[in-house]
Amino acid sequence: MEQFLNGLPKLAKDKHTENKTFFKKLKKKAPKQLDYLMQELHDNEFKKTDCLDCANCCKTTGPLFTDKDVKRISKHFRMKEQQFVDQYLRVDEENDYVLKSVPCTFLGTDNYCSIYDVRPKACAEFPHTDRKKFQQISEITLKNMPICPAAFNIVEELKKRLA
């Protein structure tokens, strides 16, 4: 896994133009059964891929925290919401709450998340490859491919299936 992870950013970069073109076509005319196909590809990939072997998303990027996330996680810690925000989060250029630093504060050395049961929605849904209307999130997917081996593999398989 580590060897693949090390080469993943270059691999994704090499395929970026090809993938961008693919997603542009997908956006214009998505196959009728795309949502079902994506669910199948997502499920198949995650039968083979264990996020605990990787945790690259937690090590290299930070999720957005919604107000609901802040409320839920601060309650979990028995903290006031503002106290949680002040301790762990900052406001980014787009006025969203994000972690003050990466790797994620809540990631253990064993790749387990210490707040897994109350983790942010963005973490729970990552890499978003099983979302409805997948063709609408191509920009997010392109950003996730250099980070997430599963996202990369799912898109590669999607291209084969739709070729």
Side-chain angles (χ1 to χ4, degrees), residues 41-104:
L41 295 175
H42 177 90
D43 292 347
N44 288 345
E45 182 60 33
F46 281 100
K47 284 176 187 165
K48 302 181 284 190
T49 301
D50 183 356
C51 293
L52 292 174
D53 290 338
C54 178
N56 201 39
C57 50
C58 307
K59 293 172 184 172
T60 61
T61 61
L64 296 179
F65 285 72
T66 64
D67 291 337
K68 281 184 179 178
D69 293 333
V70 170
K71 186 179 292 253
R72 184 178 60 257
I73 299 166
S74 62
K75 184 178 176 185
H76 170 78
F77 283 124
R78 295 185 172 91
M79 298 171 90
K80 291 192 182 327
E81 289 173 35
Q82 192 57 52
Q83 186 184 1
F84 174 79
V85 169
D86 292 344
Q87 187 168 344
Y88 297 105
L89 307 178
R90 66 179 176 81
V91 176
D92 71 3
E93 320 73 47
E94 294 165 10
N95 226 23
D96 292 315
Y97 285 126
V98 295
L99 289 169
K100 281 185 179 178
S101 62
V102 290
C104 179

Side-chain angles (χ1 to χ4, degrees), residues 21-38 131-138 158 161-162:
T21 303
F22 172 74
F23 282 132
K24 207 176 270 187
K25 287 179 185 171
L26 202 60
K27 242 183 193 171
K28 281 184 182 169
K29 187 163 179 15
K32 278 185 182 161
Q33 302 297 315
L34 182 62
D35 287 344
Y36 295 106
L37 176 57
M38 289 309 300
R131 290 231 322 234
K132 300 275 186 238
K133 297 188 172 131
F134 174 77
Q135 71 277 12
Q136 294 178 352
I137 61 159
S138 57
L158 178 64
R161 294 270 194 103
L162 297 179

